[in-house]
Amino acid sequence: MSYLSKIEAVQDLLTHNDHFDVKTVTSEASLREFIVGMLSYHPTWIKALYGIRAGFVRLLGMKQEAMTLPKLTVKNLPFEHGQWATFFQVHDAKEDDYWIATASDKHLDAYIVIAKEQLSSGLNKFHIGTIVHYKNWAGPIYFNIIRPFHHIVVQSMAQAGASYRVAHQGSYS
């Protein structure tokens, strides 16, 4: 049983899921710092993958909206159900414990779950889960093609979240 599956809100999402994976990293960051670091990480190579995705989803009969990335900070990161953080909409959250958000499309619903486990060393272990529910025939086709990239992107984003505190020490706005 994973750390994430112990969270009641996650248990509901795991019912009838089509995909569930978890990545972990250790950091001094707070939950808010970690999430902002993850969601603010968009280097050129990720932007390029998103551009390739736009062409791919057109082949599946979908379209990709322009990606708008508002500046997230530790102070303005939303924790209320229904609020938006980049292209994710907050599903459920508990301050300093976990944050669950969703990105929905015609072909699937994807949830990102980020939970903080405090270690006896004083560090935090972050559990980053992806839960996917397919909506139609295009869901498994789409996700199985992007899956290798998904793992690389999420792991890279997690590393960015883990290093956020060090990189932004004293510059929270």
Side-chain angles (χ1 to χ4, degrees):
M1 182 181 214
S2 81
Y3 183 85
L4 295 180
S5 62
K6 297 175 187 174
I7 300 170
E8 189 174 336
V10 174
Q11 292 170 2
D12 294 339
L13 296 175
L14 289 175
T15 304
H16 307 297
N17 75 79
D18 294 299
H19 175 83
F20 177 49
D21 70 64
V22 180
K23 311 276 186 266
T24 59
V25 294
T26 304
S27 173
E28 295 177 353
S30 69
L31 180 62
R32 282 182 171 270
E33 291 167 334
F34 184 81
I35 295 167
V36 168
M38 273 192 72
L39 297 182
S40 298
Y41 181 71
H42 35 82
T44 304
W45 67 270
I46 287 182
K47 291 177 185 176
L49 285 175
Y50 199 73
I52 293 167
R53 178 196 182 274
F56 172 58
V57 296
R58 276 196 294 274
L59 294 173
L60 295 175
M62 299 175 282
K63 65 180 179 177
Q64 177 173 294
E65 301 299 325
M67 192 161 104
T68 57
L69 298 171
K71 173 116 172 88
L72 288 178
T73 67
V74 171
K75 291 180 182 179
N76 76 5
L77 176 70
F79 263 68
E80 297 294 322
H81 175 80
Q83 292 181 322
W84 289 89
T86 67
F87 54 85
F88 289 107
Q89 187 173 27
V90 178
H91 176 75
D92 193 3
K94 183 177 177 187
E95 192 70 49
D96 208 36
D97 195 10
Y98 66 86
W99 189 82
I100 304 169
T102 185
S104 294
D105 211 325
K106 291 179 184 178
H107 59 300
L108 57 75
D109 290 326
Y111 295 87
I112 184 170
V113 181
I114 304 169
K116 183 188 89 172
E117 175 185 9
Q118 190 162 8
L119 302 175
S120 61
S121 65
L123 294 174
N124 296 313
K125 184 174 188 179
F126 291 95
H127 303 262
I128 307 97
T130 302
I131 303 169
V132 178
H133 296 264
Y134 301 141
K135 290 181 175 180
N136 60 36
W137 63 270
I141 293 170
Y142 168 81
F143 192 70
N144 284 309
I145 289 173
I146 66 127
R147 186 185 313 232
F149 304 103
H150 159 76
H151 291 293
I152 294 166
V153 168
V154 172
Q155 190 64 50
S156 297
M157 290 174 69
Q159 291 301 323
S163 63
Y164 183 85
R165 171 174 267 194
V166 173
H168 294 83
Q169 200 80 28
S171 65
Y172 304 129
S173 53

